[in-house]
Amino acid sequence: MRTGLTIAGSDSSGGAGIQADLKTFAAHGVFGMTAITAVTAQNTQTVSRVLALPPDMVTAQIEAVLADIPPDATKIGMLATSGIVEAVASALSRHHLRNVVLDTVMVAKGGARLLDDEAVAILRERLLPLATVVTPNVPEAEALTGLSIRTTADLERAAVRLIELGARAALVKGGHLSGPAVDVLNDGQTTIQLSAPRVDTRHTHGTGCTLSSAIAARLALGDDLESACRAAKSYVTQAILRAPGLGKGHGPLG
C-alpha cells in the first residue's frame, strides 16, 4: 500500500486540515499519517481559536513517522508559526522527502489569518524550494509574489514568478476569479491551464486541503505531476458536487 504524510492543522469540524487530508488519502487507497501543527476550534462559519503546537513536537511527529513508515508523498498545509515553518523546512532538508505538495495555507475560508508575515517570509525562502509543487490560491499567490491577480494571464505570471522564487513547480488556483474554475500549472518549462465548470455553491470548506492532498495521493500512486493535478482537480469538482449539505456556513465537501 502507498503511504502519505500530512503535516497540517486539525479542523474540529472535519471539513479541512488533516481530517480532509486523511479522508482524501483513504478515498485514493493511500494510507495516511499525520504530523499535527495546530489544533483549531472551528466550524463551517468561523475559526474561534487556534493553538499552535511547539515546533519540537511537530518535528518529533515527523521523525517518528519517517523512522517507521516512510511516506511516498507528503502534503504540507497549515503551519501556524514561523517556528513551525522552520522546523518543517529543516526536517524536509534532512530527509530529502519526495513528492512534497506545499499548500500555502494563510487565511481560513471564513477570513481568519492563519500565518503571520514573518512565517510567510520564511515559507517563501526555506520551504518553497523544497516542494515538488506549491498550490496557492489567488490571495496566497499575491502574498508570495507581490503581484496583483485579476485574470488568467495574471495566474500565469504568478506561476512564473513562483518558479523564479525557487519553486520547482506551481499550481496557481483561480477559484477566487470569475468565470470557469481555471488553475494554472507551471512545471518550470511549460504552462498548462486546467479548467472545470464553476459550481455555484456555498459548500467549499476544505477545497484547498482536499486538492493538495489529492495531488499528493496521486503522486504517491505513481502519477506524473500534470496527471496528478488533473486527477485531483476532477476529484475536487466531484467532491463539491457531492457535498452533503452540512453546516450553516461554508459547508464541507463529499
Side-chain angles (χ1 to χ4, degrees), residues 28 30 73 213-224 227-232:
H28 286 82
V30 171
S213 54
I215 294 171
R218 295 308 314 179
L219 291 173
L221 292 167
D223 283 10
D224 60 66
S227 298
C229 290
R230 289 187 183 278

Side-chain angles (χ1 to χ4, degrees), residues 96-178:
H96 307 289
L97 296 182
R98 61 196 181 95
N99 295 328
V100 176
V101 181
L102 175 59
D103 184 18
T104 52
V105 178
M106 297 180 187
V107 181
K109 189 73 69 179
R113 186 74 185 266
L114 301 176
L115 201 65
D116 62 30
D117 291 339
E118 180 185 2
V120 170
I122 298 171
L123 184 149
R124 184 191 298 114
E125 295 165 11
R126 297 275 328 268
L127 267 183
L128 208 61
L130 298 174
T132 304
V133 61
V134 58
T135 64
N137 60 25
V138 167
E140 293 160 354
E142 289 180 332
L144 289 168
T145 65
L147 300 174
S148 176
I149 302 173
R150 299 292 179 269
T151 66
T152 302
D154 292 337
L155 294 175
E156 294 184 355
R157 280 190 286 273
V160 170
R161 179 61 180 143
L162 287 166
I163 299 297
E164 292 172 348
L165 288 169
R168 287 182 245 172
L171 179 70
V172 184
K173 302 173 294 190
H176 285 76
L177 304 181
S178 58

Side-chain angles (χ1 to χ4, degrees), residues 170-231:
L171 179 70
V172 184
K173 302 173 294 190
H176 285 76
L177 304 181
S178 58
V182 177
D183 302 335
V184 169
L185 173 65
N186 187 313
D187 64 1
Q189 296 182 339
T190 58
T191 299
I192 301 166
Q193 290 188 13
L194 308 179
S195 182
R198 184 175 296 275
V199 181
D200 184 16
T201 178
R202 65 179 175 86
H203 298 289
T204 56
H205 185 56
T207 48
C209 303
T210 301
L211 179 71
S212 55
S213 54
I215 294 171
R218 295 308 314 179
L219 291 173
L221 292 167
D223 283 10
D224 60 66
L225 181 59
E226 180 184 342
S227 298
C229 290
R230 289 187 183 278

Side-chain angles (χ1 to χ4, degrees), residues 59-78:
T59 298
Q61 293 175 82
I62 296 170
E63 296 289 349
V65 170
L66 299 183
D68 191 31
I69 310 176
D72 294 304
T74 299
K75 173 260 171 77
I76 301 172
M78 176 188 175

Side-chain angles (χ1 to χ4, degrees), residues 37-38 50-53 77-85 105 114-116 119:
T37 59
V50 175
L51 176 64
L53 270 67
M78 176 188 175
L79 297 178
T81 69
S82 57
I84 294 175
V85 176
V105 178
L114 301 176
L115 201 65
D116 62 30

